[in-house]
Amino acid sequence: MSAISLFQTVSAPLTPLVKWFYNEPDCYEGLSKDLWILRYQKKILGWIADNRVDLVLVSGPAFTLFRMGKAVKRKFPFLPVLYDYRDPWYLWNLHKGFAYRKERDYLKYADGIAGFSRAFTDKMISAFCLPPERCAAIYNGYSETDWKAFENSRNDFAPGWESGPASRLRLAFVGNISLDPFPGNFRNPSELIRVIEKFPEVECAFIGVSGPKAGTSERNIRYMGKVSQKDSFAWMKSSDVLISIHLDETDCSGKYLISGKFYDYMRSGRVMWHIGSGDSLMSRWIAKYGLGIACPNEPDALYASLEKLVSVWRQGKLSSLRSCTMERIRSFSREYQNERYLHFIETIKNWTNEEEQENG
């Protein structure tokens, strides 16, 4: 038995307690980071003192790392601390346990808070009574630099599709995905696959498949393992419709999250088909920005949506389902978002400097 297997076996009875204590997507990641802080906190504080650090940024998950913000502010009261949320903590599942009380306490020591979406940031302000001016929504975005480099390479056709005019409607999911229908698989494509198999005029590729099916084909569906970033862009550009899946039946994450590949889908210019709850942020963005269509992960809704896509494709009007301009998309580039982030950081630093001067 490997060390990892042994640890999992021994710790299994403790998992519910650890989940309650940390409330993290990976509860044992929270535990490991707590142990890491115990080991390195003194060195980190010493390094901050010796290197004239002018701002400390703590990013989560793991969210227990925000504990460092409390330690920093106790030792350096006027050193600005910024918490960077890339996932929800309490807002993930609204469990008001020990982890919620820790988050509420740690937030007292943050001079600024960066959230990964406006929906998430607004909810944080409401849930924890945070000052809005100290919070900013900084989207993960896509890389305009990488996309321009790809487009300038003049090699924008996916190696998996046949060249020339398509005889079938081409669908593609590009991103990490597991085909196993295990509980909590928020990208479970089982229902979608069953529907696609009923449409012989459709071909679909899942790119980024993990497990034994990678590299295989069944009926009108092919399964491919991970590809390079350049090839992932090529799959997007040479497909007709790009599939996004986020199933959030057991938590609230879909109300706030935009997946990383969703931004690349936006930049690709292709029609998007999002599968998930109607009140999810990605479903709402599909409608708000005119990116394509969205539907719940239900057989009838999936069938009706694919039937609609096939119908407009046959009429040569598939592009009518997408109206968002590229100019609007570019506000979600990392380059633009990084500029906003730098401005927010400078604002937080200025506020802290003013507070230090006022307190002598």
Side-chain angles (χ1 to χ4, degrees), residues 8 40 63 71 138 156 165 179 203 206 229 240 285 317 321 331 338 353:
Q8 290 174 336
Y40 292 109
F63 297 109
I138 309 295
D156 60 354
L179 304 177
E203 57 182 332
F206 288 93
Q229 183 188 66
D240 299 307
W285 273 29
K317 297 180 179 179
L321 297 178
S331 66
N338 286 344
N353 289 336

Side-chain angles (χ1 to χ4, degrees), residues 97-326:
F98 186 74
Y100 165 77
R101 293 192 290 273
K102 284 196 298 181
E103 182 174 13
R104 187 176 58 187
D105 178 52
Y106 294 161
L107 285 167
K108 297 175 185 176
Y109 301 92
D111 297 289
I113 296 161
F116 53 86
S117 72
R118 172 50 56 192
F120 169 78
T121 306
D122 287 347
K123 189 63 176 179
M124 282 289 292
I125 291 169
S126 172
F128 291 99
C129 299
L130 302 174
E133 68 275 8
R134 298 282 178 148
C135 305
I138 309 295
Y139 293 94
N140 291 323
Y142 69 90
S143 172
E144 182 66 24
T145 301
D146 290 344
W147 269 98
K148 283 184 176 178
F150 164 73
E151 290 170 340
N152 291 336
S153 70
R154 299 180 181 277
N155 182 20
D156 60 354
F157 198 83
W161 293 135
E162 295 179 6
S163 58
S167 58
R168 294 194 287 182
L169 175 66
R170 292 170 171 171
L171 311 180
F173 175 96
V174 184
N176 294 331
I177 190 167
S178 172
L179 304 177
D180 297 327
F182 57 84
N185 181 3
F186 62 92
R187 289 180 184 150
N188 179 6
S190 300
E191 292 288 356
L192 174 64
I193 289 171
R194 282 191 280 271
V195 169
I196 291 173
E197 289 175 342
K198 298 175 182 178
F199 286 80
E201 60 271 74
V202 170
E203 57 182 332
C204 180
F206 288 93
I207 316 300
V209 173
S210 59
K213 273 200 171 182
T216 67
S217 297
E218 294 179 359
R219 299 183 178 86
N220 56 341
I221 302 175
R222 67 185 70 186
Y223 306 96
M224 296 186 63
K226 294 181 180 180
V227 300
S228 67
Q229 183 188 66
K230 181 179 178 180
D231 282 348
S232 75
F233 289 171
W235 276 101
M236 292 179 202
K237 291 290 285 187
S238 56
S239 300
D240 299 307
V241 177
L242 300 177
I243 299 169
S244 166
I245 307 173
H246 187 93
L247 314 178
D248 52 357
E249 292 92 346
T250 60
D251 61 61
C252 306
S253 61
K255 294 181 179 179
Y256 317 112
L257 288 172
I258 297 292
S259 69
K261 277 292 178 278
F262 195 94
Y263 293 108
D264 284 317
Y265 281 9
M266 292 170 70
R267 176 58 176 81
S268 74
R270 294 296 179 258
V271 171
M272 298 169 61
W273 180 15
H274 180 67
I275 299 166
S277 172
D279 67 350
S280 71
L281 186 56
M282 285 184 276
S283 291
R284 299 203 307 271
W285 273 29
I286 291 285
K288 178 180 179 179
Y289 294 109
L291 298 168
I293 65 173
C295 73
N297 188 45
E298 299 168 358
D300 289 347
L302 291 167
Y303 191 94
S305 295
L306 187 49
E307 193 172 44
K308 177 180 179 179
L309 288 169
V310 170
S311 176
V312 294
W313 171 74
R314 282 175 178 159
Q315 299 170 46
K317 297 180 179 179
L318 190 62
S319 61
S320 67
L321 297 178
R322 177 161 175 149
S323 59
C324 191
T325 65
M326 197 54 63

Side-chain angles (χ1 to χ4, degrees), residues 35-78:
L35 295 174
W36 183 87
I37 290 172
L38 287 173
R39 183 176 181 182
Y40 292 109
Q41 177 174 301
K42 186 176 180 180
K43 289 183 179 180
I44 292 170
L45 295 175
W47 192 92
I48 290 172
D50 294 341
N51 289 272
R52 301 176 64 184
V53 171
D54 60 2
L55 180 137
V56 172
L57 189 153
V58 188
S59 186
F63 297 109
T64 195
L65 290 171
F66 291 154
R67 172 179 163 187
M68 278 303 305
K70 183 175 183 177
V72 168
K73 294 299 283 189
R74 283 184 167 179
K75 188 171 181 63
F76 311 102
F78 297 106

